[in-house]
Amino acid sequence: MTDTMTRITLARRPKGLPTPGDFTLETSKVPTPGADEVLIAVTHLSLDPYMRGRMDDAKSYAPSVDIGGTMTGQGVGRIITSNADGFVPGDLVIGATGWASHAVLPTDGLRKLDEALPPSTALGVLGMPGMTAWTGLREYGRPKAGQTLVIGAATGPVGAMVGQLAKAAGMRTVAVAGGPEKCRLAVETFGFDAAVDHRAYDDAASLRRALAEAAPDGVDIYWENVGGKLLEAVVPLMNVGGRVPVCGMIAWYAGVDGDGTDRLPGLWRSVLVKRLSVNGFIIFDHWDKFPDFLSEVAPKVASGEITYLEDIAKGLENAPAAFIAMLQGGNTGKQIVEL
Ligand SMILES: NC(=O)c1ccc[n+]([C@@H]2O[C@H](COP(=O)([O-])OP(=O)(O)OC[C@H]3O[C@@H](n4cnc5c(N)ncnc54)[C@H](OP(=O)(O)O)[C@@H]3O)[C@@H](O)[C@H]2O)c1
């Protein structure tokens, strides 16, 4: 076994979009687990949009990464050494490993994985993003057959799962995705009824015209992954009684640009007059339902009824570049790093 490990730390807080210089690749000695702890060799790391927020020093629902601290994240790996009951060397587990080749962790946040499934699925379709889609759609979207759903970042792990579940519930599903290839994937791989390329429209008004054609009966669920131009385009198309699960707003994660003209008051007036339900939600509040999610969705993933895409970067040293690309749409499917 190697006695050195690598990790990616936060070198400085980014302004806007992160750059490679905001991260440092460090080498150190592999730590020794204490009582009730295990040592894990990480094989797969998840890259997620929320990590951009952890790089800021702003108050949020979760703590920031300290300067010099290991970037936070979920990883899958095999236990090398165990000082904890119930876990033995060789066990495949998921936990908060951070962006690192090895991690010493207590076992309370660890979960053993089903060896029959590809390990990376625990980070995407059968992990936090899949669970977010399943929970948010049931709790806040409340799909109804014959109605229409619109979702951005539609080929990502949240969007692809929401689209497939809504379609299975009998909805018309409209994907918003970046570029013709992702639009093709949305329809051909994930079964969306229509796809609109947000990159083809410079402003909200022209994007709205394209969405109105794709959603001729109006929009009943707008699943908010994106914010920005898409939010402005969709809200006027919403039907009375529409639902807006507010899951994320990746267009604004690296800061807000534009001409400084605030259009939100007009948009949110639509929320009022159309009596829209708008629910912000953070998946951690629903984690007790994770076993229900797995028992319903894992068999459908195994049978192919629910499909998924992964975008695998190779090597921990390439995690920063893959993360920066993901924040701009460079990923196709769930972004994973294979170590
Ligand atoms: N509330 C919660 O508990 C929770 C949990 C998980 C995820 N989330 C949120 O859910 C959203 C999707 O997450 P995910 O894990 O499925 O990630 P993801 O789809 O892999 O996210 C990256 C994608 O966002 C899209 N994007 C980036 N900038 C954009 C912009 N300016 N306008 C439109 N689209 C843009 C890009 O897709 P295109 O190239 O197609 O534009 C990019 O590929 C994120 O906002 C995330 O923060 C929330």
Side-chain angles (χ1 to χ4, degrees), residues 46-51 61 123 128-133 151-160 176-179 182-183 196-199 223-230 246-253 280-286 325-335:
S46 181
L47 295 181
D48 296 272
Y50 75 81
M51 294 166 176
Y61 60 88
L123 301 170
M128 186 277 283
M131 169 73 178
T132 301
I151 186 164
T155 61
V158 173
V176 180
K182 285 189 181 178
C183 286
V196 174
D197 175 4
H198 67 89
R199 295 193 193 282
W223 178 289
E224 175 67 298
N225 273 342
V226 164
K229 184 175 68 181
L230 181 55
V246 180
C247 176
M249 37 201 77
I250 192 168
W252 291 325
Y253 287 177
F281 74 97
I282 300 294
I283 196 57
F284 309 135
D285 300 336
H286 301 271
M326 179 186 73
L327 292 176
Q328 301 170 88
N331 64 316
T332 300
K334 168 66 198 159
Q335 184 67 59

Side-chain angles (χ1 to χ4, degrees), residues 79-191:
I79 293 182
I80 305 179
T81 312
S82 174
N83 293 335
D85 290 341
F87 290 84
V88 295
D91 280 350
L92 186 67
V93 292
I94 179 170
T97 61
W99 297 24
S101 64
H102 296 75
V104 163
L105 292 174
T107 55
D108 50 358
L110 283 188
R111 185 167 58 86
K112 285 193 209 177
L113 295 177
D114 180 351
E115 296 272 353
L117 295 164
S120 56
T121 58
L123 301 170
V125 64
L126 294 176
M128 186 277 283
M131 169 73 178
T132 301
W134 179 83
T135 303
L137 194 61
R138 286 159 49 115
E139 293 274 328
Y140 307 115
R142 300 183 299 279
K144 288 197 182 67
Q147 293 193 340
T148 300
L149 169 135
V150 170
I151 186 164
T155 61
V158 173
M161 178 69 89
V162 168
Q164 291 177 85
L165 294 174
K167 184 75 196 162
M171 295 193 74
R172 175 173 176 79
T173 53
V174 178
V176 180
E181 177 57 16
K182 285 189 181 178
C183 286
R184 188 189 65 73
L185 278 173
V187 173
E188 291 179 9
T189 302
F190 296 122

